[in-house]
Amino acid sequence: MATNRTLPFKDMGGCSISGVMDESGRRFSGEEIIRSIRNMHERSNGLGGGFAAYGIFPERADQYCMQLMFDTPEAKRETEALLDERCNVHYAEDIPTRPHEAITDEPLLHRYFVSVEPDKSRPHLDENDLMVELHMEINTTIQDAFVFSAGKNMGCFKGVGFPEDIGEYFRLEEYEAYTWIAHGRFPTNTTGWWGGAHPFSILDWAIVHNGEISSYGINKRYLRNFGYECTLQTDTEVIAYLFDLLIRKHGLPLEVACQAMAPPFWEDIERMPEREQAQAKAIRAVYGGALLNGPFAVVVGSTGRMIGFSDRTKLRPQVCARGGDRLYIASEEAAIRTICPDPDVVWHPDGGEPVVGELQAGVQVA
Amino acid sequence: MKRIIIHEEYCIGCGLCEVHCIVKHSRTGKIIRAFKEERDQIVPGVQVERDGYESFALQCRHCDDAVCIEACMTGAMHRDPETGAVLCDTDRCVGCWMCIMVCPAGAIQQGADGTVASKCDACTDEEIPVCVANCPNEALVLEDEE
Amino acid sequence: MPNWLIEPDFVVERDPDRCIQCEVCVRQCANEAHEFDEELQEVFTDSTRCVGCHRCASLCPTDAISIRPAELEFRPNENWSAQAIRNIYKQSEQGGVLLTGMGNPEPLPIYWDRMLLNASQVTNPSIDPLREPMELLTHIGSKPQRLEFSGGETPQLETTLGPQLELHVPVMFSAMSYGSISYNASEALARAANEVGTYANTGEGGLHEDLRQYAGRMIVQVASGRFGVDVDYLNSGAAVEIKIGQGAKPGIGGHLPGEKVSADISATRMIPEGTDALSPAPHHDIYSIEDLRQLIYAIKEATRYRKPVGVKIAAVHHVAAIASGCVRAGADFVAIDGYRGGTGAAPTMIRNNVGIPIEFALAAVDSRLREEGIRQDAGLIVAGSFRCAADVVKAIALGADACYIGTAALVAMGCHVCQKCYTGRCNWGIATQDPYLTRRLNPNIATRRLVNLLESWAHEIQEIMGGMGINAIESLRGNRDHLRGVNLTDRELNVLGIQMAGE
């Protein structure tokens, strides 16, 4: 079955996003996140929905879980040959699903738990670099295969449909995670391809995104300087790569990375104390290519962390709440209150201001 | 009082101040008719002096201590009480030319018919004197007295 | 022998019903096209002397003068154009190289006009720059690939950034020397750059003592003649630019005739009064890229690494490789001047036939530097005919940090692009040292007009960016997704790195 996997040049449209993290590391079922995203049904149009979950494979936490879709059995065979060549596959299985009246044309969905050996001829590449390379190679060279996610102790589940239907289809109520993020799409130009749904993921980064990145053209070229090829041609992809570049490769502290992507205005920088001002100026001058312009609100998941932030002028909605050990971030307050009717605090973060959830000190999630 | 100041380093000697002064003091106020009908009857209140590449548009300074008023025997030369401008009442002028003799700036001329004195009237009825308004290089400017 | 083969370019017509014989035109024409006949008391005009600068018509109080091309038609011939024939008349009459001024006027394609810009609709809100921030602040200089921060509660920046130029509008005044233009024109450019928060470039003629008060917003140029260069000069400006080439005349040096070298210019250029100021075609201490590196570092040493040191080159065939070499040689910025770039004087054949369009040069250089991973190492400034704010926006979207404007700035001061700069008889007081003419440019007026020009362009750039839904210029820079081509071949689209309209 050959499908058209060309994506529109940019993923234009509106969306719903929701994320929940339990900072105590306590894991909880996917039922809640499905309920939250269902609450914002109106914000998506049935052309894409998806989830990312962290802490779902504690028994294989030291292995990369590669979740893939295949449009054809040949693609699956080709991918498996490549995996055998590049890594050790410890365990593989079909991703569990249930028949769902709203979900049709489903591709083959399979997951592989793998590890990679150091490449002696290229000692400068660590296992993460090798995994990124493998991820990109599958996506760019194998016609009918696509990697949903390839991180440790996490996974992305996504497809064409309303997000609550996708959640039920993937039986997410049977998983337990300490962080769940979810997305419902309202694309204005789409080809109904499962790989095109959110989240977008690289290593353990997963991004759900509501908005359009007007700076996509330069973000893509900036990332290319550092070896990232934007294969999907979606603006969400650049956010995932930017997080990987700024935090993993450049080692920037999280708040600095967020400041690079959504920096303060110059008029605000002018009013900062001297040292802070010099720092803010340097970040803008050096990381201009990483500035994300245009309307967006994102929730970013990674191991032990959930980050919400939006564009500098906050042209897309984002509401946060805390209740007990949990941090909630969503497009609408109702989507939070439907699963947490009585939060301790609800607030609307400023544009560009990152909201960070982190595991409490000493909590291990492996 | 605002005075017309000449920044001589920017005076390009074009003579447009003279042209517009003539038009302003013509009967019709229309440039082509003023020149075709009255050119010989009007002496402009501003005169461009030229020496090589340097030039200077000269008009009455409307001095605070105006010796021309003192020298005038008929009281024709007087200060306008409202605007402070030094004006010549041509009905009273007898053409003795004492004002021309005493003017330190050489800014008073004989009128076209040779019977009365003629000088800049500071365009007191205009917001900006026409020589200033039409100077293409802002060499003539209206500035507050220091 | 009479010049009977030299034909007038223009016919000057005087409407006898409107002319008031005021002689303003007579006094304004330095080419003596108008003459007052004392005996007849009437102004007459000699059209053969007219260069089409409109000075007389602009100042005529009755609009009695009109100027049109001389309608002296040759038999139609696509090959032997009137210009080609007249050039031969002129050369066979006078011998020597044909000289000209300003940029290339030939009917070659202008690629800015074949690129169109994007705007937001529905899925992305456009931004109203009058109500919301719209940031144009631009930094030009070498930037590190990444910043280092020390750990701890609040991250502390450990990296020190090299010297940067800070532009409030991404448009600078390009190199125009004192000598090629008048003191008043130089002063106006310097003052306007200070007022707006951008930079003016001294050109290769040094920096007059009286203008050093504005040097904090000036780039001082070092060209092959080294005119006016000493350590104080290097340290007086905000940055130093080594001029290797100029778009109007790649591969040749400048020439300021001795008669223009007045006492003031002689002092500024540090050469004897009245001598020709000839800058050599190459820098005789730069015969290869490693020599350039030595000069860059010699200047960096002389300025204690406090000023960005850049290199200006003309856009020629291998411009991408040359620019890459300049960056690797240590240039903090590279300025590229396209084949339509202006000049005070250049051989016509060179101006009209040497070099490549800035649009292609810019696209190739930006792509090349990115491929090599060294785009951050240097700022990229482009020159070579920016006529309006849209040209600037398109250049920035192609990958430039900022543009240099020369001709546009002169036009703002009154220039009518008559292309006679090389004669030294500029009726607008710009490209001349004749004291009779230089006083025609009141630097107060010229400064005001330049500031108005840059501010209006800044507003237009902001409007265009707002339409795209972009509120910071770094998101426009190199963002070729916001450009679409029309009337371009696949090869042209490929070199420009943009898509076809409709794609």
Side-chain angles (χ1 to χ4, degrees):
Chain A
M1 179 176 79
T3 55
N4 177 6
R5 63 173 276 184
T6 7
L7 266 182
F9 141 76
K10 278 203 300 187
D11 192 17
M12 290 162 45
C15 298
S16 58
I17 55 184
S18 182
V20 187
M21 176 178 190
D22 193 313
E23 293 182 321
S24 73
R26 203 170 302 119
R27 301 190 301 137
F28 53 99
S29 140
E31 180 271 332
E32 286 182 58
I33 192 76
I34 294 174
R35 221 159 9 104
S36 172
I37 201 80
R38 185 197 305 277
N39 182 274
M40 297 184 284
H41 184 87
E42 284 296 320
R43 299 184 72 90
S44 54
N45 67 357
L47 290 175
F51 300 81
Y54 289 83
I56 51 177
F57 303 119
E59 64 285 359
R60 294 190 179 275
D62 58 339
Q63 296 164 5
Y64 292 93
C65 173
M66 299 190 75
Q67 304 217 96
L68 284 97
M69 61 164 277
F70 305 103
D71 288 323
T72 60
E74 294 75 42
K76 183 162 181 279
R77 277 196 293 277
E78 207 180 320
T79 304
E80 286 173 352
L82 184 68
L83 291 181
D84 284 340
E85 185 188 314
R86 295 297 182 80
C87 53
N88 307 316
V89 178
H90 302 281
Y91 179 70
E93 64 181 0
D94 284 338
I95 300 175
T97 57
R98 64 163 63 89
H100 196 291
E101 58 182 357
I103 304 297
T104 55
D105 293 334
E106 55 262 54
L108 302 172
L109 296 159
H110 211 72
R111 66 164 73 113
Y112 305 85
F113 290 91
V114 307
S115 60
V116 285
E117 302 289 336
D119 183 341
K120 291 199 182 66
S121 64
R122 296 182 298 166
H124 57 285
L125 299 179
D126 66 13
E127 60 168 7
N128 282 331
D129 296 325
L130 294 169
M131 276 307 293
V132 170
E133 193 177 81
L134 178 63
H135 184 145
M136 300 251 167
E137 187 171 340
I138 294 171
N139 284 357
T140 50
T141 62
I142 302 178
Q143 178 63 35
D144 290 324
F146 182 74
V147 182
F148 281 179
S149 60
K152 287 180 179 173
N153 202 4
M154 60 81 68
C156 289
F157 306 87
K158 60 186 190 176
V160 174
F162 281 100
E164 58 271 24
D165 298 334
I166 293 288
E168 286 165 10
Y169 172 75
F170 277 108
R171 304 160 69 148
L172 295 186
E173 74 283 357
E174 295 171 8
Y175 294 83
E176 288 198 324
Y178 62 87
T179 299
W180 288 95
I181 63 175
H183 187 262
R185 266 184 101 195
F186 197 134
T188 48
N189 50 355
T190 186
T191 53
W193 175 56
W194 283 50
H198 296 212
F200 284 97
S201 184
I202 183 168
L203 295 172
D204 66 337
W205 298 105
I207 317 277
V208 289
H209 165 219
N210 170 15
E212 182 182 339
I213 308 290
S214 325
S215 55
Y216 173 73
I218 184 57
N219 301 139
K220 173 182 69 176
R221 297 182 77 210
Y222 175 72
L223 284 162
R224 201 175 292 150
N225 283 358
F226 300 98
Y228 294 87
E229 284 299 328
C230 293
T231 55
L232 290 177
Q233 299 247 305
T234 84
D235 41 3
T236 309
E237 192 181 18
V238 304
I239 305 175
Y241 298 162
L242 281 172
F243 268 96
D244 190 54
L245 171 73
L246 300 181
I247 292 180
R248 184 174 69 85
K249 283 204 178 159
H250 285 187
L252 296 185
L254 175 64
E255 56 266 51
V256 174
C258 289
Q259 194 179 328
M261 289 184 271
F265 289 106
W266 286 115
E267 60 187 41
D268 298 322
I269 293 176
E270 291 305 323
R271 285 195 289 269
M272 290 176 177
E274 201 178 333
R275 197 190 55 79
E276 208 181 322
Q277 186 184 84
Q279 188 162 315
K281 276 189 174 185
I283 292 170
R284 280 200 73 169
V286 172
Y287 287 105
L291 192 156
L292 294 169
N293 220 308
F296 71 86
V298 296
V299 174
V300 182
S302 74
T303 301
R305 214 143 53 174
M306 180 174 78
I307 306 149
F309 87 121
S310 57
D311 67 88
R312 310 193 293 161
T313 38
K314 201 164 182 188
L315 294 169
R316 290 289 156 92
Q318 189 155 68
V319 190
C320 299
R322 283 191 180 276
D325 288 327
R326 291 201 185 167
L327 169 67
Y328 300 86
I329 304 174
S331 303
E332 294 182 13
E333 191 173 331
I336 296 173
R337 288 193 183 266
T338 194
I339 53 173
C340 175
D342 192 19
D344 303 335
V345 56
V346 178
W347 79 100
H348 297 257
D350 285 342
E353 175 198 333
V355 173
V356 181
E358 276 185 305
L359 287 175
Q360 291 153 7
V363 175
Q364 296 293 322
V365 289
Chain B
M1 171 187 178
K2 283 187 187 259
R3 284 179 205 273
I4 299 167
I5 308 288
I6 171 83
H7 290 285
E8 66 199 82
E9 69 273 30
Y10 305 135
C11 177
I12 62 175
C14 63
L16 280 170
C17 47
E18 297 171 342
V19 169
H20 287 279
C21 187
I22 290 169
V23 175
K24 164 75 186 166
H25 296 97
S26 67
R27 190 178 53 83
T28 58
K30 292 180 174 165
I31 185 165
I32 293 172
R33 285 191 64 182
F35 271 76
K36 300 233 153 142
E37 296 166 4
E38 301 175 67
R39 177 68 187 90
D40 297 339
Q41 298 153 38
I42 303 168
V43 173
V46 56
Q47 307 265 334
V48 179
E49 307 277 336
R50 300 182 179 86
D51 180 12
Y53 59 80
E54 292 181 313
S55 53
F56 191 100
L58 177 70
Q59 71 279 76
C60 171
R61 310 316 305 148
H62 300 278
C63 310
D64 289 335
D65 183 16
V67 289
C68 56
I69 298 179
E70 283 178 37
C72 182
M73 59 184 181
T74 65
M77 201 63 80
H78 66 286
R79 187 178 304 280
D80 183 58
E82 248 176 69
T83 62
V86 175
L87 303 176
C88 179
D89 180 347
T90 50
D91 289 344
R92 301 176 81 173
C93 177
V94 295
C96 74
W97 314 134
M98 279 308 289
C99 54
I100 298 180
M101 299 286 284
V102 299
C103 177
I108 306 175
Q109 293 85 35
Q110 292 186 1
D113 64 356
T115 62
V116 292
S118 165
K119 67 179 290 298
C120 163
D121 61 3
C123 289
T124 47
D125 57 336
E126 300 274 349
E127 201 176 325
I128 299 171
V130 294
C131 56
V132 172
N134 288 285
C135 178
N137 208 32
E138 294 179 16
L140 284 172
V141 291
L142 198 60
E143 281 178 8
D144 277 320
E145 197 179 20
E146 294 186 354
Chain C
M1 200 172 95
N3 285 351
W4 53 271
L5 283 173
I6 306 286
E7 298 168 344
D9 291 329
F10 298 99
V11 173
V12 183
E13 286 175 329
R14 178 180 304 280
D15 181 344
D17 292 338
R18 297 194 66 80
C19 178
I20 57 172
Q21 311 296 334
C22 67
E23 298 178 65
V24 168
C25 53
V26 176
R27 296 181 200 112
Q28 289 302 301
C29 184
N31 300 306
E32 297 171 338
H34 304 288
E35 193 188 3
F36 187 69
D37 189 308
E38 291 289 345
E39 203 178 317
L40 296 173
Q41 289 288 300
E42 195 178 339
V43 178
F44 289 92
T45 298
D46 175 1
S47 286
T48 58
R49 292 173 173 272
C50 178
V51 300
C53 79
H54 296 187
R55 180 74 187 184
C56 56
S58 299
L59 265 72
C60 175
T62 59
D63 298 323
I65 298 172
S66 54
I67 300 167
R68 54 178 176 77
E71 286 165 12
L72 201 54
E73 291 296 331
F74 291 94
R75 183 173 294 282
N77 190 322
E78 291 290 330
N79 186 34
W80 284 99
S81 66
Q83 191 60 56
I85 295 170
R86 287 187 176 132
N87 281 347
I88 287 183
Y89 290 154
K90 201 189 277 181
Q91 288 191 291
S92 51
E93 181 76 35
Q94 300 165 345
V97 169
L98 294 165
L99 271 183
T100 188
M102 316 297 303
N104 192 338
E106 295 298 310
L108 292 153
I110 297 168
Y111 286 94
W112 301 126
D113 297 340
R114 300 183 183 198
M115 285 183 268
L116 297 171
L117 293 159
N118 194 26
S120 305
Q121 298 288 294
V122 183
T123 58
N124 181 348
S126 41
I127 303 166
D128 184 344
L130 296 176
R131 296 191 175 87
E132 294 182 60
M134 187 57 64
E135 302 184 314
L136 301 183
L137 196 73
T138 300
H139 291 89
I140 293 181
S142 181
K143 299 174 188 88
Q145 294 273 349
R146 48 176 288 198
L147 293 174
E148 302 273 359
F149 287 84
S150 63
E153 269 301 289
T154 45
Q156 302 261 349
L157 179 63
E158 298 285 322
T159 315
T160 313
L161 231 58
Q164 306 283 324
L165 295 176
E166 192 172 283
L167 287 68
H168 292 270
V169 181
V171 180
M172 301 191 283
F173 299 129
S174 121
M176 288 176 278
S177 69
Y178 173 41
S180 74
I181 58 171
S182 64
Y183 178 85
N184 286 353
S186 303
E187 179 188 326
L189 291 165
R191 282 169 53 190
N194 272 269
E195 224 169 287
V196 172
T198 181
Y199 297 85
N201 190 311
T202 61
E204 63 166 315
L207 182 57
H208 194 282
E209 275 304 321
D210 296 349
L211 294 180
R212 298 217 171 182
Q213 56 181 310
Y214 307 115
R217 283 277 175 192
M218 294 192 84
I219 298 173
V220 296
Q221 202 180 57
V222 174
S224 58
R226 303 287 202 269
F227 298 123
V229 176
D230 65 9
V231 74
D232 294 334
Y233 169 74
L234 294 177
N235 279 289
S236 67
V240 183
E241 181 180 89
I242 299 169
K243 178 198 173 184
I244 299 293
Q246 184 176 343
K249 42 180 172 180
I252 64 171
H255 176 198
L256 189 70
E259 45 277 21
K260 275 189 168 180
V261 182
S262 62
D264 240 12
I265 290 176
S266 126
T268 306
R269 294 209 170 204
M270 304 174 188
I271 54 169
E273 209 174 319
T275 52
D276 285 357
L278 303 169
S279 37
H283 286 248
H284 282 299
D285 53 359
I286 303 177
Y287 286 176
S288 186
I289 191 75
E290 64 273 17
D291 299 336
L292 174 66
R293 185 177 174 82
Q294 289 193 357
L295 181 60
I296 290 173
Y297 278 89
I299 293 173
K300 286 187 177 186
E301 289 285 338
T303 54
R304 301 276 180 256
Y305 295 86
R306 287 189 200 119
K307 321 266 181 195
V309 176
V311 177
K312 178 179 179 179
I313 54 173
V316 291
H317 298 186
H318 297 295
V319 66
I322 296 161
S324 160
C326 293
V327 175
R328 290 181 186 280
D332 296 314
F333 61 87
V334 178
I336 307 168
D337 194 6
Y339 81 137
R340 275 193 306 274
T343 177
T348 309
M349 289 303 120
I350 289 183
R351 181 196 67 176
N352 290 3
N353 296 285
V354 181
I356 65 169
I358 189 60
E359 299 90 333
F360 289 124
L362 164 59
V365 169
D366 180 64
S367 297
R368 174 69 172 263
L369 296 183
R370 284 179 190 280
E371 275 163 30
E372 295 186 23
I374 55 174
R375 179 63 182 86
Q376 300 243 332
D377 296 0
L380 191 50
I381 304 166
V382 287
S385 207
F386 291 90
R387 306 155 299 168
C388 60
D391 288 354
V392 174
V393 172
K394 290 170 188 176
I396 291 173
L398 270 185
D401 287 289
C403 301
Y404 266 145
I405 56 167
T407 302
L410 299 184
V411 171
M413 291 194 277
C415 167
H416 279 55
V417 201
C418 74
Q419 306 182 40
K420 295 288 179 183
C421 325
Y422 65 99
T423 65
R425 286 200 301 271
C426 174
N427 272 324
W428 293 88
I430 300 167
T432 177
Q433 304 304 328
D434 180 344
Y436 179 73
L437 300 172
T438 54
R439 58 204 291 122
R440 294 182 182 182
L441 189 70
N442 179 338
N444 300 322
I445 301 176
T447 302
R448 189 171 69 223
R449 295 180 65 88
L450 289 167
V451 169
N452 284 343
L453 177 76
L454 288 188
E455 287 183 346
S456 57
W457 283 21
H459 284 308
E460 289 173 333
I461 294 168
Q462 289 175 320
E463 288 284 352
I464 295 171
M465 282 169 57
M468 292 172 176
I470 284 177
N471 62 10
I473 199 151
E474 49 263 56
S475 298
L476 173 67
R477 192 182 309 133
N479 194 341
R480 298 186 188 173
D481 286 5
H482 285 283
L483 290 171
R484 287 292 188 274
V486 287
N487 221 344
L488 291 170
T489 65
D490 276 355
R491 279 298 279 280
E492 289 168 325
L493 289 166
N494 281 343
V495 176
L496 292 170
I498 63 171
Q499 289 177 286
M500 180 69 195
E503 283 182 333

